[in-house]
Amino acid sequence: MKDYASLTDEQLALLYVGGDYSAFDVLLERNQQKLYSYILFVVHDPEMANDVFQETFVKVITKLQDGKYTDSGKFSFWLTRIAHNVMMDNYRHQKTTQIVEPTEDNDLNKLRSNDIMDINRENEYVNTQVMNDVRNLMEALPAPQREVVYMRFYQDLSFKEIAEITGVSINTSLGRMRYALINMRRMAREHHIQLNMEL
């Protein structure tokens, strides 16, 4: 019997591609809790999360069998990106009312240096808050914004990594974070939630 425990996810994926179906079982067991938690946090519905999780792994199996995976050392990113794409397909036609969204011509390249400093202050602001209050506010955000906040502050991913996983530019990731922070601040005011900002 093979010692799967010593193998990386990437090695297990390649073993599965080569016909070792037990390797996929180990791969699934290693990744299912983290992936499901990520999906549930974004979609906010256990039934939908189960559907997305299952559809994600169907796509993973299909892509592996079609030879569309190469060992890049980033299996978890690849897996998360597939889940992200499945979720975005599900949300593509939904719109949330009264939420600030970027306009079609939004371009963060036009921001002045003072605006960039504001973004940095806002990031610091969210990072220093009581996580329960922040989490409650995050739950009311639209999925793309909630996803970026989750990846940044719960998974500690850089904006470059978030952009890679979600298939958007770094500017779009930053824009989603900025609008998420605007929306969270607005909701905090509306619900009289006191969040202390450290300057």
Side-chain angles (χ1 to χ4, degrees), residues 65-101:
Q65 289 176 346
D66 289 347
K68 293 182 179 174
Y69 175 77
T70 55
D71 181 0
S72 62
K74 295 183 178 181
F75 181 82
S76 63
F77 280 6
W78 184 72
L79 184 63
T80 304
R81 182 163 186 172
I82 292 172
H84 164 80
N85 289 340
V86 171
M87 288 185 287
M88 291 306 105
D89 286 345
N90 288 339
Y91 278 111
R92 199 166 303 278
H93 300 294
Q94 294 182 9
K95 286 284 183 186
T96 306
T97 59
Q98 295 185 350
I99 294 290
V100 179
E101 287 283 5

Side-chain angles (χ1 to χ4, degrees), residues 39-129:
I39 294 168
L40 181 60
F41 186 82
V42 175
V43 302
H44 224 61
D45 176 340
E47 189 174 323
M48 184 185 291
N50 282 324
D51 290 346
V52 170
F53 179 83
Q54 290 173 24
E55 187 176 344
T56 297
F57 268 95
V58 167
K59 287 184 181 290
V60 167
I61 290 169
T62 303
K63 287 176 182 293
L64 286 171
Q65 289 176 346
D66 289 347
K68 293 182 179 174
Y69 175 77
T70 55
D71 181 0
S72 62
K74 295 183 178 181
F75 181 82
S76 63
F77 280 6
W78 184 72
L79 184 63
T80 304
R81 182 163 186 172
I82 292 172
H84 164 80
N85 289 340
V86 171
M87 288 185 287
M88 291 306 105
D89 286 345
N90 288 339
Y91 278 111
R92 199 166 303 278
H93 300 294
Q94 294 182 9
K95 286 284 183 186
T96 306
T97 59
Q98 295 185 350
I99 294 290
V100 179
E101 287 283 5
T103 58
E104 288 297 316
D105 60 347
N106 181 47
D107 183 1
L108 291 181
N109 288 325
K110 296 176 184 172
L111 289 176
R112 297 180 311 274
S113 60
N114 286 343
D115 294 328
I116 299 296
M117 292 304 294
D118 287 343
I119 291 172
N120 290 336
R121 277 191 221 110
E122 288 171 345
N123 288 346
E124 182 181 340
Y125 160 73
V126 172
N127 231 357
T128 59
Q129 299 315 300

